[in-house]
């Protein structure tokens, strides 16, 4: 894996974190009276972090050059790999992939400009719970040497990718 200077990783992390902040404090979504309590941390089938941020551009190559020149995110075709470690278990390393897809891609639905990939610790447990909770789940599954993938949809119909890395076996 190519070594990425920490200042680039920090900048990439900031780009992911800043939209979540509001006035220096974490922005909280409005709570409905019927909202369920958050998933228990010790429960299997939880999100560990962001595995990827993918977005589309009609000007893919100029966009890659812009992000490389101005933000140090150099994507040579396989995405930019931003390594990180789990807070509670620093021995566990992960990577967040950042990449630009052509606007004609079929990987990200035409109705959405980007897609987020979440790393999960137990894909089967998470999908089982989401099914019980009535979440729309895509029937497609993909197994690769580097992990397993599934997709779900939020209330607005946005496709979300779930990834259990091969190293995160339950």
């Amino acid at each position: 894996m190519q070594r990425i200077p920490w200042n680039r990783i920090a900048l990439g992390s900031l780009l992911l974190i800043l939209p979540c902040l509001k006035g220096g404090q974490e922005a909280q979504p409005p709570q409905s009276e019927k909202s369920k309590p958050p998933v228990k941390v010790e429960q299997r089938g939880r999100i560990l972090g962001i595995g990827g941020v993918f977005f589309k551009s009609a000007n893919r190559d100029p966009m890659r050059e812009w992000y490389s020149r101005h933000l140090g995110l150099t994507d040579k075709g396989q995405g930019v790999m931003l390594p990180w470690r789990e807070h509670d278990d620093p021995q566990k390393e992960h990577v967040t992939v950042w990449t630009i897809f052509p606007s004609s891609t079929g990987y990200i639905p035409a109705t959405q400009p980007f897609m987020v990939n979440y790393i999960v610790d137990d894909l089967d447990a998470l999908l089982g719970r989401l099914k019980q909770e009535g979440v729309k789940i895509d029937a497609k599954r993909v197994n690769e040497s580097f992990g397993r993938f599934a997709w779900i949809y939020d209330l607005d119909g946005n496709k979300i990718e779930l990834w259990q890395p091969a190293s995160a076996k339950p």
Side-chain angles (χ1 to χ4, degrees):
M1 184 194 290
Q2 178 187 1
R3 284 285 282 160
I4 301 171
W6 284 107
N7 60 348
R8 289 185 185 174
I9 293 168
L11 179 59
S13 298
L14 260 176
L15 291 172
L16 294 173
I17 294 168
L18 284 176
C20 299
L21 299 178
K22 181 179 177 182
Q25 298 179 355
E26 189 173 326
Q28 298 295 322
Q31 294 287 339
S32 72
E33 291 181 31
K34 295 181 181 182
S35 66
K36 295 183 180 185
V39 175
K40 293 178 184 173
V41 173
E42 49 295 332
Q43 179 179 0
R44 295 290 300 172
R46 63 188 177 93
I47 301 295
L48 298 176
I50 296 175
V53 177
F54 315 130
F55 66 98
K56 300 185 284 191
S57 174
N59 303 304
R60 184 181 188 198
D61 291 335
M63 283 289 276
R64 281 181 170 165
E65 175 60 30
W66 188 93
Y67 275 93
S68 177
R69 183 173 357 112
H70 299 292
L71 300 179
L73 297 171
T74 303
D75 181 351
K76 296 180 180 173
Q78 300 299 315
V80 177
M81 306 298 172
L82 303 167
W84 55 276
R85 296 177 184 271
E86 288 188 30
H87 180 269
D88 295 335
D89 188 353
Q91 297 302 313
K92 289 186 181 176
E93 288 188 59
H94 297 281
V95 65
T96 298
V97 180
W98 177 96
T99 194
I100 303 170
F101 281 82
S103 58
S104 61
T105 186
Y107 197 72
I108 302 170
T111 57
Q112 63 190 77
F114 68 92
M115 182 169 62
V116 175
N117 164 300
Y118 292 103
I119 298 174
V120 303
D121 66 347
D122 186 333
L123 187 61
D124 295 326
L126 179 58
L127 291 173
R129 188 178 74 250
L130 294 175
K131 182 177 180 180
Q132 288 180 340
E133 294 171 358
V135 173
K136 182 179 176 185
I137 300 172
D138 195 310
K140 181 180 178 181
R141 301 287 180 276
V142 174
N143 294 311
E144 298 285 347
S145 61
F146 47 88
R148 301 171 52 218
F149 295 85
W151 294 266
I152 62 171
Y153 298 87
D154 68 14
L155 289 176
D156 286 342
N158 294 308
K159 189 175 187 178
I160 299 166
E161 188 170 70
L162 303 174
W163 168 41
Q164 179 181 325
S167 61
K169 296 192 171 75

